[in-house]
Amino acid sequence: FQLSAFFNNVNELGMTGDDGNAGPLLMLPTPEEEAELENKRDRIEELEAALIAHEAEVKRAGTYMEARVPEDGLDLDLVSYFPFDHSTGDSTPNSVPDGKEGKTGGGTLTVVEGPSGKAISFDSDYDFLQVAEAGNFERSDPFSVTVWLRPDTSGAYTRIVGNAFHKNTYWRGWEVYLDSLNHLSARLIHALPHNYLHVRSTKPIAKNDWTHIAVTYDGSSRADGVQLYVKGLRVPVVTEYDKLYKSILPVDGLYRLTSRPMRIGRSYRAFGGDDGIFLGDMDELRLYARTLTTSDITTLAGVPAREEDELAAYLNYYDARYIRLLRELKEARVEENTAVNEVMEVMVMEEMTEPRPTHILERGLYDQPRDQVHPETPEVLGLLPDSLPPTRLGLAQWLFSSEQPLTARVAVNRYWLMFFGQGLVVTPEDFGSQGALPSHPELLDFLAVTFMESGYDVKAFIKSIVMSASYRQSSIASPALLEFDPANVLLARGPKHRLTAEMVRDNALAAGGLLVNQVGGPSVKPYQPPGLWIEKGNFSQFLLHYKQDEGDALYRRSLYTFIRRTSPPPTMLVFDAPDRSTCFVQRQNTNTPLQALVLLNDPQFVEASRALAERVQHEAPESVTAQIRRGFRLATGRTPSDQEVLLMENLYTQEKERFAARPADIDSLFSVGELVADASLDRTNTAALTMVTQLILNHDEAYTKR
């Protein structure tokens, strides 16, 4: 439990979307992107400083005295206004010209008396309102919301207004709501739990009493750019989270921009039971595409104006330079937002500011916590030194310290396993009391120490293995040696074992000259039988259908093949690749008829055979015999014997006669895969050689290391 405490302090949710990367995420800008972002952010800082300086100058001059909101000021940038005075049935009109009406989710609106004429009452799950084409704000857009509320209940999350969606877009959007203690809260969300801002009031909103509330946002992407007002007065807030750096515009399940209706009285949340249903009354809901001034809000709340509000009213309504600077600032923020949205992100783990408590769980049951414990390493392996922090960073430093040889011992044993087929410790997943003892303890010690002293240089370590006398031995063994040491524990001969699933495919592609050696990049989707993914019950939009890649992506190393755990690539499964549902330190190594059928019929191996046939015709044009020898050498690493060549020449002759008599079979063969046949070569000859190269790739030496 102490070891688990290192990882119990990670900022993550217990629920994620069906697609996309789950936070926390780390931005990885290119040098060019980083320079561009720095320039744009410098411009934003310049404009913000200019606004502050101009405000101070106006304040010193005193020219703002007695400034008031103009008569039409409350109509400026008003994008939706619902007075609720004419609500009927399942809709309520929008008083803004061309504004969309509010439609219920199936319920019937109940009209009650409000602080200004009629109001509506939300008293069922389906009384919420949806307003199309309203409230689709970006994080660079200033906006404000005001409304009169009379909540009936408290004790649960209840949405007032917003368009934040559910987990499948990581709750993207914005929302104003009451939390479980009836605190007024506002959130602007790109993705939970790492890219959003959240502020809440320090005091709750009263139940069963009309209260005017307002939320303003200035487009800064900072928590201090959000202000909360209750009864016309700005109230103290608590900043729950302040890290918003990407778009909050609504997206659909495929992460394409969309126009999501704004909801009033209920959230879009699902899957967690917190539907955000508001129970109570609302009146006079207004939505603005600007930051309201305090004077605006006092007017809407019906409270007297104050002298200290005159400066903001003057600057926002009458000061041309201030208004121009605001416009330029918004444009600069839009440019920065556009640039940052293009930056790639990668999933990481992130420490929480306040450590999450970890407890001993009675019999491992999460609902039976006992004594609290703190991060610590197992005593048998050595305790964490006081010089290291009790965090994941400290754990990593401890794992790779000179006082902790276990990491290096496990690692070198894994590398040894890769090259020799079995480790010096034959239970690589268990170095404990239940595991096997090392066959060569001094060798394991030497390799571990050498690896540590090299600074964990993997390339140098692998070079030392493949250049060693043990590895370079012949794998041929006498009957007596096989009887005495069948598992080659004594390392008296070279390794002999079947290649891994990835290497079998890569070797075939490399022999045919198809393998793309590009390093890095996104996962790829090579050939796979159609219809496998759609047969799996799933909610993912991206994984609903398998979309095969094209061009070089079909021939990249198998390391880059996209793995879907519920439906892994079948070719790899046949050759014992795990499905990634759990961690496998050591794979099975089976030999089944299905593997031979894959090598003969799988499109990627048929295509690789044809590519190999074309390659040898170019590289050994002098004779068929030379072509057969060249193809065998490319696939197996050795030169074939004369008897092997004779057998393959006979096969070539038979197949050439067959293809000459049945040209349609050539068309059928050449139609397999995306590779276009080389028109400069004789089709019949290429088809016959393809049958020979298929035989070569099915030879056990093409997928067995000896």
Side-chain angles (χ1 to χ4, degrees), residues 177-179 181-186 198-206 227-230 233-240:
Y177 65 97
L178 301 179
D179 67 13
L181 298 176
N182 258 33
H183 294 120
L184 178 62
S185 293
H198 177 197
V199 299
R200 66 167 177 84
S201 63
T202 57
K203 295 181 179 180
I205 302 297
Q227 305 297 334
L228 306 183
Y229 295 81
V230 177
L233 300 176
R234 200 167 99 183
V235 297
V237 299
V238 174
T239 298
E240 297 286 0

Side-chain angles (χ1 to χ4, degrees), residues 430-458:
D430 189 353
F431 270 56
S433 60
Q434 301 299 311
L437 294 174
S439 59
H440 298 70
E442 294 86 357
L443 175 58
L444 183 61
D445 290 343
F446 169 77
L447 293 174
V449 171
T450 303
F451 190 44
M452 293 172 67
E453 291 178 346
S454 72
Y456 298 91
D457 189 333
V458 175

Side-chain angles (χ1 to χ4, degrees), residues 226-493:
V226 179
Q227 305 297 334
L228 306 183
Y229 295 81
V230 177
K231 297 181 179 180
L233 300 176
R234 200 167 99 183
V235 297
V237 299
V238 174
T239 298
E240 297 286 0
Y241 201 80
D242 188 9
K243 191 178 180 182
L244 176 65
Y245 57 89
K246 281 201 170 185
S247 173
I248 65 169
L249 284 177
V251 292
D252 62 15
L254 293 172
Y255 290 84
R256 299 171 301 196
L257 290 177
T258 187
S259 178
R260 180 172 299 115
M262 180 177 70
R263 272 195 178 182
I264 304 169
R266 180 171 177 164
S267 76
Y268 280 100
R269 290 192 187 188
F271 313 110
D274 52 349
D275 296 328
I277 299 170
F278 176 82
L279 297 177
D281 307 327
M282 287 192 198
D283 196 12
E284 293 289 315
L285 188 146
R286 293 170 177 257
L287 181 67
Y288 288 88
R290 66 181 175 94
T291 307
L292 292 180
T293 67
T294 307
S295 296
D296 296 323
I297 294 169
T298 55
T299 302
L300 292 171
V303 299
R306 295 162 300 182
E307 289 186 9
E308 57 265 32
D309 301 334
E310 294 172 350
L311 176 59
Y314 174 81
L315 291 170
N316 284 274
Y317 283 111
Y318 303 105
D319 192 310
R321 183 165 185 266
Y322 190 85
I323 294 171
R324 176 178 58 80
L325 286 172
L326 279 178
R327 184 173 62 252
E328 291 179 7
L329 177 58
K330 180 179 177 180
E331 292 170 355
R333 286 170 172 167
V334 168
E335 291 180 4
E336 187 271 345
N337 182 63
T338 302
V340 79
N341 285 334
E342 298 299 318
V343 176
M344 183 178 70
E345 292 182 296
V346 63
M347 290 190 288
V348 296
M349 300 175 79
E350 181 183 40
E351 299 287 324
M352 299 177 67
T353 306
E354 292 292 329
R356 182 187 291 119
T358 301
H359 297 269
I360 296 174
L361 303 180
E362 184 71 21
R363 302 182 67 182
L365 299 175
Y366 71 90
D367 59 348
Q368 295 189 27
R370 296 296 183 259
D371 296 340
Q372 183 175 347
V373 296
H374 300 281
E376 185 55 270
T377 53
E379 185 175 356
V380 68
L381 300 178
L383 297 178
L384 194 72
D386 294 337
S387 59
L388 296 179
T391 62
R392 289 181 297 111
L393 175 60
L395 178 62
Q397 292 170 331
W398 173 79
L399 283 170
F400 288 91
S401 68
S402 58
E403 305 301 319
Q404 179 49 262
L406 182 61
T407 304
R409 289 169 64 84
V410 171
V412 299
N413 191 65
R414 290 283 301 276
Y415 294 131
W416 190 273
L417 166 67
M418 289 171 58
F419 286 95
F420 285 88
Q422 68 176 14
L424 296 170
V425 176
V426 296
T427 55
E429 73 284 354
D430 189 353
F431 270 56
S433 60
Q434 301 299 311
L437 294 174
S439 59
H440 298 70
E442 294 86 357
L443 175 58
L444 183 61
D445 290 343
F446 169 77
L447 293 174
V449 171
T450 303
F451 190 44
M452 293 172 67
E453 291 178 346
S454 72
Y456 298 91
D457 189 333
V458 175
K459 185 176 290 187
F461 180 77
I462 289 176
K463 181 179 179 181
S464 68
I465 287 183
V466 298
M467 294 185 67
S468 67
S470 297
Y471 182 76
R472 295 166 68 186
Q473 295 179 98
S474 170
S475 58
I476 299 174
S478 65
L481 182 57
L482 284 174
E483 182 179 358
F484 181 74
D485 184 18
N488 196 27
V489 174
L490 300 178
L491 303 175
R493 59 184 182 275

Side-chain angles (χ1 to χ4, degrees), residues 562-601:
F562 186 93
I563 304 292
R564 182 182 180 186
R565 286 178 294 179
T566 55
S567 184
T571 297
M572 290 193 179
L573 290 183
V574 169
F575 285 95
D576 305 315
D579 62 7
R580 310 291 179 92
S581 295
T582 55
C583 178
F584 278 81
V585 177
Q586 187 170 14
R587 298 182 182 184
Q588 290 182 315
N589 199 338
T590 63
N591 188 359
T592 69
L594 195 57
Q595 294 167 355
L597 292 173
V598 167
L599 294 174
L600 282 172
N601 299 295

